[in-house]
Amino acid sequence: MAPTRRYDPERRQRIIDAAIRVVGRSGIAGLSHRSVAAEANVPLGSTTYHFKTLDDLLVAALRQTNEGFAKVVRERGGALADPDCDLAAELARLTGQWLDGDRAGVELEYELYLAALRRPALRTVAAEWCEETAALLTHRTDPRTARALVALLDGICLQVLLTGGRYDEDYARETLARVITPSG
Amino acid sequence: MAPTRRYDPERRQRIIDAAIRVVGRSGIAGLSHRSVAAEANVPLGSTTYHFKTLDDLLVAALRQTNEGFAKVVRERGGALADPDCDLAAELARLTGQWLDGDRAGVELEYELYLAALRRPALRTVAAEWCEETAALLTHRTDPRTARALVALLDGICLQVLLTGGRYDEDYARETLARVITPSG
DNA sequence: CAACGATGTGTACCCTCGTACACATGCAAT
DNA sequence: ATTGCATGTGTACGAGGGTACACATCGTTG
């Protein structure tokens, strides 16, 4: 009776949530079927049943965390849709809020995203993220410029995260503005 | 006698080289004192003696691989010094050669670089790489623009590597040119 | 209601890992 | 020559990991 807690329809989702917490705390290196099982409070066999490999679990986790930046944009980036606002300034501001708001969450999101470098299984999800983020900007710019803006923001954020430096909003705004400037 | 091969002054360097080969083949996840020892053909105790932790080994490896892009610039980027050459076009061309030339080497270099996200010990080295790469450009632009160019190149390369997409040299050239364009 | 398949549980096997430590060796300083 | 220290070697231990598998449970289908 008691020892078996049956029928848990949200088991799979709880395991994904637990995996995200584990990666946030210990990094991908600390992710194992056992560590996830402990965090999710389920037996070992349950995690291996729902996710045959850790890559499967990482794919599910990345899909879920990809929402991070988009969420900030949705909640506090309403001005982006306004054709009169300064796009570069608004993007620089939102990025600053994202980086300063939940640094641990940002690192987690990037760690999963960057893991695609060595895990082909994650590439599809990483590509989706790029496209979705660029899509947030296509109401204001052409697709080519949108892609460039995403690349530049990625590069700027990475340098902050990798070198431990500070985010310089003025510098970001000015550089973004150069990319936005219509070339002809 | 035979079993003990004494006095190997290059032992430390050979271990670093072996570590780089291991990471290139199996990723950082496949790096262990044992795998390095096997690759370098030295006993286990020797690797733990020279590098107390794997982080120490990674720092040494990153310092050595950081040379990758700089090497391409030195060997085939002579035109960068010429004030008459098209800086954006030349950068885009060199980056293309780097990406297409030795993709495995590029992935290796980036994997070590990106590892700084979760390993504070690597941040100093990552920061040095950014500065040195930017320094390659300061003969042609101001430091601020140089930093922006490095960030943009980083972002463009990352998107290619993470999404499995193709490198578009024309797109890179045009975007780089926008950043170079003097703002006033 | 009987059989079946999807889901959940518990355990055991074998592997690899980091670490520690005792011992061997050879250079350098005295 | 003796001492001391850096370097090199070999082994053992305990922790933790992926995987496999036998069994339990419950909804569904006929």
Side-chain angles (χ1 to χ4, degrees), chain A residues 102-142:
Chain A
D102 175 17
R103 186 60 160 257
V106 172
E107 288 184 6
L108 164 64
E109 190 166 343
Y110 260 104
E111 183 171 11
L112 288 171
Y113 174 55
L114 298 180
L117 180 67
R118 282 293 191 176
R119 300 173 204 250
L122 293 180
R123 299 232 173 103
T124 308
V125 195
E128 284 170 13
W129 181 82
C130 284
E131 280 170 29
E132 284 166 20
T133 308
L136 291 174
L137 307 173
T138 45
H139 292 294
R140 295 290 306 276
T141 71
D142 61 296

Side-chain angles (χ1 to χ4, degrees), chain A residues 10-181:
Chain A
E10 319 218 357
R11 169 77 47 113
R12 192 186 152 90
Q13 183 58 46
R14 291 222 325 274
I15 292 175
I16 296 174
D17 294 340
I20 291 173
R21 287 196 299 275
V22 169
V23 174
R25 189 195 318 128
S26 322
I28 290 182
L31 187 73
S32 72
H33 283 128
R34 284 178 165 84
S35 61
V36 174
E39 176 71 29
N41 205 23
V42 301
L44 169 62
S46 192
T47 63
T48 63
Y49 173 76
H50 286 284
F51 301 93
K52 276 308 171 198
T53 73
L54 288 180
D55 268 15
D56 292 341
L57 188 50
L58 283 176
V59 168
L62 178 54
R63 269 190 206 288
Q64 194 155 322
T65 55
N66 264 352
E67 278 291 301
F69 184 68
K71 193 171 159 217
V72 171
V73 171
R74 240 184 291 111
E75 290 177 358
R76 307 194 256 187
L80 280 185
D82 177 2
D84 290 331
C85 89
D86 181 340
L87 184 54
E90 185 66 8
L91 273 180
R93 188 182 67 82
L94 285 172
T95 303
Q97 286 194 354
W98 183 51
L99 283 172
D100 293 335
D102 175 17
R103 186 60 160 257
V106 172
E107 288 184 6
L108 164 64
E109 190 166 343
Y110 260 104
E111 183 171 11
L112 288 171
Y113 174 55
L114 298 180
L117 180 67
R118 282 293 191 176
R119 300 173 204 250
L122 293 180
R123 299 232 173 103
T124 308
V125 195
E128 284 170 13
W129 181 82
C130 284
E131 280 170 29
E132 284 166 20
T133 308
L136 291 174
L137 307 173
T138 45
H139 292 294
R140 295 290 306 276
T141 71
D142 61 296
R144 211 173 159 87
T145 301
R147 237 181 90 203
L149 289 175
V150 174
L152 180 57
L153 276 177
D154 242 10
I156 290 175
C157 289
L158 260 190
Q159 285 191 8
V160 169
L161 293 170
L162 295 185
T163 67
R166 290 189 55 75
Y167 174 72
D168 182 340
E169 187 173 321
D170 286 340
Y171 158 74
R173 180 180 42 72
E174 196 213 324
T175 312
L176 288 166
R178 292 193 197 177
V179 173
I180 295 171
T181 299

